[in-house]
Structures are given as structure tokens and as C-alpha cells.
Amino acid sequence: MLNSNMNELPLSITEQLNNILQSIAYFVPETALAILFLLVIITGLVMKKDAGRFCQLLTLFGLVFVFQRDVQQLYLVLSGPKFLFSNMLLLHHVSIVFKLVFEVLAFLIVVYIPLDQSLKSHSKGLSDLYAILIAVVFGLHLMAMSVNLLMIYLAIETVSIGSFLLVAYQTENRFAVEAGLKYVLFGFAASAVMLYGMSLLYAATGQLDIFNGHFLDGLIRVHPVPVSLGIIFVLFGIGFKLSFVPMQFWVPDVYEGAATPVVAFLSTLTKIAGFALLTNFLTPFVFFGKWTAFDFRLFFSIIGIITLIAGNFAAIVQTNIKRMLAYSSIGHTGFGLMALVTFSQQGISALLFYLIVYAFANIGALMLCSFYAGKNSMLSVEDLRGLGKAYPFAGVCFVVLLVSLIGLPVSAGFNGKVLVFSSVIDVYRQNHNSWLLALLITGAVTTVVSLFYYFKIPLNLFLKTPHQTGAVIVNQSTTLLILIGFMAALVILLGIFPSLLANLVR
């Protein structure tokens, strides 16, 4: 018996090594990100003068290289999805599209970071910030591909730790430190809840690989109550990144206290990665015909309705622009859940399109916060009085981006919402699920509600008398204005020609 085991051991190790070597060929973008992380750290240490500028350029070139490798991966999965590292990761078309989105948005954020005056004046410089951002992007890649409970946990923790550091990066800013502390506390609580849920699922199945047939077979043999409890805990852990109700409490304070480029990063990239991970987690349950222990459509329909209502109605009473955008971000999560509960290919394509156009518009709106705020991170709606006439180009761009966030015609946001509503209506026609109808009605009503808080900004920009005191010192960066104009033009272009993006996300 001992000899038999000894003979099998080398074969097992050989198989594992072969699997690792084969997987590395599909892991090139992530390997490049790891190398880029080290290069940026070394550059920051070696280059004393202008370290931030050199690290920014290195990060930008590195992200372009990673983007190219992601594009090459699209051809590698033409023959079908690839499981990597003993089924820890799953590489397929949708996950690659998510990674491409990460690179594009991260590139925009890296360009944006030194244009924000509060970050530019930071005493410690920005080189470390770029290194942290690269590490988080690496974690986002893992989130988009994770199909193993252990890898899901490691990916989320990688992103969480990096996000904690990003939020509290401005150590001399009391609001940033306070926001970072709150984020850490909520993050650790969510992590503990998720880990406990994973332990329940593992105890029931003895499996960590959620795509393994024994995983679902083991769950259906266990009483539905502990299984449902474990699933809910895991979903709440993922929901921390998505900021759906009731995992949204950290959002307003963190968004208000953190540097505006960091808010742009958290409100877009981590949210999109959360949806990518959630899609991976739900896939084996949705396509397993015998699964009846937990109704995912009912759960996410209820969560989506509450999130839509809570986010949009709370945003109405906000006066601080970043807090208002924080609550609106919660509302947009509800729209993403609308597309997700269709559990269809059309719904996933609509989700991807919606998240991408939301990201462009939201990043552009936050860039305008940096433009109008200068070094004042506590910019209020009242501070914008009359500034639309003084800075007409920025004011018009702000209106265009807000129109897209609302979802009005001739904007990318309108096309995104049309695709989401269409995907839900198509599924509703097939099964006449009352919760889908409730989602449709809630989505329509909250879209109207969003008009009331988004239009407070153009109202103050163009129709209110300006302050005599000159409370706002505007950031006069031409590069920032060009970037804002590009974002506004992009949402209009995708509003007129949605096929430019729709063909990619199918």
C-alpha cells in the first residue's frame, strides 16, 4: 500500500506542474501586471526627483502592454473557455472583456490622478499610489476569472487591502484617514461574513471548486437552511464591492473623504469587477437544472428594488456633490442587478454595456468635481452657482455627462438603460415573473427620481446668481479640460453609435 502511494505521488506532482506550466501561457496579462508592480516600486525608490512622473509614464505604458495581451487572449479562447491552475480560474470571452475594461478605465484614472490638485500637492508624492493601483488592478483580474472559493476570497482581499490604502493615501487629510478607517472596519466585517459563508459551503460539499459537479451535488443533499445561509453570506461579501443594500453603509463617507480620483476608481472598476465575480459565482447554480434550494432571482430582485429606491431617494437630499454621486452609484448598482437577474446572454451583454457607459460618465463627472473644486474636496452644489457661464465648456460637458447618467436620449446612458429594460422585458414575456415586473416599474420610477438631484447641478451652474465671495478656486488645468471633453464626446458618440461598443460585449 505504501509503495503504491509512493508511485502515485510523483505522477500527481508531474500533472500539477504540467497544469501550472500550461496555465502560465494564459496568465500573461496578470504576470505583466505583477512585473509592472515591482518596476513601479523600484522606480519610485530609485528616482528621487520626478518619481511620480516617471512612475505615471511607466504605469501608462505597462497598462497599454497588458491591454494588448488581453486582446491576444480573445483568440486563445475561440475554441472554448480555459480552466487555469487546477480550476482556480476560468478564462473566457466575458472575463477577457471585463479585463479590457479594467485596463481602459485604469489608464484614464492614471492620467487623471496628477491633475487633481489635492493629490498633486500630497507631500509624499504619487509614486506609491500608482503601485497600489496596479496591485488592485491585478486583484480585479483575479476577480473576473475566479471560480474557486479560495481564489474568490484571495481576489477580493487583494482588491480590498489595496482599496483601503488608496482611500487613506492622503494621511494629512483628516477626512481621508477617517474614511479609510471606516472602509477598513466595514471591509473586515464583510470579509468575515463571506469567509463564514464559504466555510458552510465547504463543510457541505468538501469542494472549493464551484464548477465541480460534486459541489452542487453536495449542496442539494444538505438541508436548504444552512446552504441558503452560506450562499447569502458569500453574496453579502461580494455585495460589499457592489455596494448594494444592505452592504452600502460605507459608500457615502468613503466617497466624500477619499481623493476624487480614488472615488472614480472605486465607483467604477471595483463595482464592475464585483459584477464579473458575481456572474462567475452564479453561473453553475443557474445552469444546474436540479437547483431549487435558493431562489437567486427572488433574492436579487428584492435587493435590486431596495437598492434602486434607497440610492436614488437618498441622493435627492444631498448637498455635497461627491456624496450625491455616491448614493447615485448605489442606484446604478440596482440597475446592474436588473440586468443580472435575467440570467441570460442578452442580460449579461446589457450589463456590460451599461457598466461601461456608466463608468465613462461617472469618471467624467468626478473629473469635473476636481475641476471646479480645486483643492476643496468638500464641493457642494451651491458652490457651482454661476460657474457655468464663467466656464461654459466645462459646464456643457457636465450637463452632457449628467444626461448620460440619467439615461436621457442621445446619450450612451440612454442606450444602456434601453438594453437593460429590453433584456428584462424579454425574460418577463417568457415566464411572467412578477418580481421582474416590479423591477421594471422601480427602474422606471427611480430614473425619473434621478432627474431631481442630477439637474440641481446644471440649475446652479447656469440659472443661479454666482457667489460674490468667490468661494471656489477652479482648477485651470487644460489637460483636465481636454480629458473631460473627451469623456463627454465619448458618451455622445456611444449614444449615437451604440454598435461601436455593443459588438464588443456580445
Side-chain angles (χ1 to χ4, degrees):
M1 187 68 175
L2 180 60
N3 290 335
S4 175
N5 290 336
M6 291 294 289
N7 290 333
E8 292 175 2
L9 184 59
L11 181 61
S12 176
I13 292 175
T14 302
E15 290 176 346
Q16 292 181 26
L17 289 174
N18 288 335
N19 181 269
I20 291 172
L21 292 174
Q22 292 171 4
S23 299
I24 288 175
Y26 297 92
F27 203 64
V28 174
E30 292 70 34
T31 305
L33 281 171
I35 295 171
L36 180 62
F37 171 73
L38 296 175
L39 289 176
V40 171
I41 288 180
I42 294 170
T43 303
L45 293 173
V46 173
M47 302 294 299
K48 299 298 181 183
K49 187 178 180 181
D50 294 331
R53 183 62 176 165
F54 280 106
C55 288
Q56 183 197 24
L57 291 174
L58 181 59
T59 302
L60 292 174
F61 283 117
L63 289 173
V64 171
F65 178 82
V66 174
F67 181 88
Q68 292 174 339
R69 295 302 173 270
D70 286 332
V71 171
Q72 290 178 356
Q73 285 191 326
L74 289 171
Y75 300 98
L76 296 177
V77 298
L78 289 177
S79 59
K82 308 291 183 183
F83 284 97
L84 310 179
F85 302 109
S86 301
N87 295 357
M88 298 285 282
L89 302 171
L90 176 61
L91 186 68
H92 53 96
H93 177 80
V94 175
S95 66
I96 295 173
V97 173
F98 274 115
K99 293 197 295 180
L100 289 170
V101 173
F102 298 153
E103 263 67 79
V104 172
L105 297 181
F107 186 94
L108 290 172
I109 299 295
V110 172
V111 174
Y112 170 31
I113 283 173
L115 303 178
D116 181 80
Q117 288 188 357
S118 64
L119 273 179
K120 186 178 180 180
S121 60
H122 183 51
S123 58
K124 294 183 179 179
L126 299 176
S127 57
D128 292 337
L129 187 67
Y130 298 124
I132 297 169
L133 188 141
I134 294 166
V136 176
V137 173
F138 178 83
L140 298 178
H141 275 232
L142 296 182
M143 286 180 66
M145 298 187 292
S146 295
V147 290
N148 180 287
L149 292 179
L150 178 60
M151 183 53 67
I152 289 173
Y153 180 76
L154 293 175
I156 289 179
E157 287 307 294
T158 300
V159 173
S160 294
I161 293 171
S163 300
F164 299 154
L165 296 173
L166 289 175
V167 171
Y169 190 76
Q170 293 176 291
T171 52
E172 74 280 2
N173 185 332
R174 179 175 62 85
F175 294 104
V177 174
E178 181 181 342
L181 180 59
K182 290 179 180 178
Y183 195 22
V184 169
L185 293 176
F186 279 114
F188 283 164
S191 176
V193 168
M194 181 179 62
L195 194 59
Y196 182 65
M198 289 179 174
S199 68
L200 290 176
L201 298 182
Y202 179 73
T205 63
Q207 292 285 336
L208 293 172
D209 178 10
I210 62 176
F211 275 76
N212 189 310
H214 297 296
F215 180 78
L216 292 174
D217 287 336
L219 290 181
I220 62 176
R221 293 191 179 96
V222 181
H223 194 277
V225 172
V227 171
S228 299
L229 191 63
I231 290 173
I232 290 172
F233 284 170
V234 173
L235 294 178
F236 278 173
I238 299 174
F240 176 75
K241 293 300 174 194
L242 294 173
S243 65
F244 62 58
V245 177
M247 304 302 293
Q248 89 294 354
F249 293 108
W250 60 274
V251 174
D253 291 335
V254 170
Y255 281 30
E256 183 181 19
T260 309
V262 173
V263 175
F265 185 89
L266 294 177
S267 62
T268 54
L269 279 93
T270 57
K271 186 185 294 290
I272 294 172
F275 273 109
L277 179 56
L278 188 57
T279 302
N280 288 343
F281 182 77
L282 294 178
T283 297
F285 293 97
V286 171
F287 292 99
F288 187 64
K290 301 178 182 178
W291 181 258
T292 57
F294 185 82
D295 192 338
F296 287 99
R297 177 165 286 160
L298 173 63
F299 177 82
F300 282 113
S301 295
I302 294 173
I303 292 292
I305 291 170
I306 297 172
T307 301
L308 282 166
I309 294 172
N312 285 284
F313 279 91
I316 293 177
V317 298
Q318 303 304 315
T319 57
N320 181 281
I321 295 180
K322 285 168 70 175
R323 286 187 75 90
M324 187 187 76
L325 291 175
Y327 280 108
S328 75
S329 174
I330 296 171
H332 285 286
T333 297
F335 262 99
L337 293 176
M338 280 182 63
L340 186 71
V341 297
T342 61
F343 301 140
S344 65
Q345 182 58 48
Q346 182 185 0
I348 297 300
S349 298
L351 173 64
L352 265 167
F353 187 97
Y354 184 83
L355 290 174
I356 293 170
V357 298
Y358 158 74
F360 288 142
N362 198 60
I363 291 173
L366 287 164
M367 287 177 179
L368 279 156
C369 289
S370 292
F371 176 80
Y372 284 117
K375 293 184 180 181
N376 172 28
S377 62
M378 300 294 124
L379 181 70
S380 70
V381 176
E382 285 289 316
D383 292 332
L384 298 179
R385 292 170 64 103
L387 291 180
K389 296 176 182 178
Y391 304 95
F393 178 77
V396 170
C397 288
F398 217 154
V399 174
V400 169
L401 294 167
L402 293 176
V403 163
S404 184
L405 287 172
I406 296 168
L408 296 180
V410 199
S411 71
F414 173 76
N415 292 327
K417 288 196 173 183
V418 167
L419 288 174
V420 171
F421 280 124
S422 298
S423 63
V424 177
I425 290 171
D426 286 347
V427 176
Y428 174 74
R429 287 173 176 170
Q430 297 172 16
N431 57 25
H432 298 284
N433 187 295
S434 57
W435 286 106
L436 291 178
L437 180 61
L439 267 174
L440 285 168
I441 295 172
T442 306
V445 171
T446 52
T447 297
V448 176
V449 170
S450 68
L451 287 167
F452 291 93
Y453 60 84
Y454 279 130
F455 273 177
K456 287 193 295 185
I457 292 176
L459 177 67
N460 280 274
L461 281 172
F462 294 102
L463 301 179
K464 292 291 183 73
T465 305
H467 285 295
Q468 299 299 321
T469 57
V472 177
I473 302 175
V474 176
N475 181 353
Q476 300 282 358
S477 171
T478 304
T479 306
L480 183 59
L481 266 181
I482 293 172
L483 203 54
I484 290 167
F486 170 76
M487 304 301 280
L490 191 60
V491 298
I492 292 296
L493 180 66
L494 293 176
I496 299 173
F497 304 104
S499 59
L500 297 175
L501 180 59
N503 292 332
L504 173 66
V505 300
R506 285 176 183 169

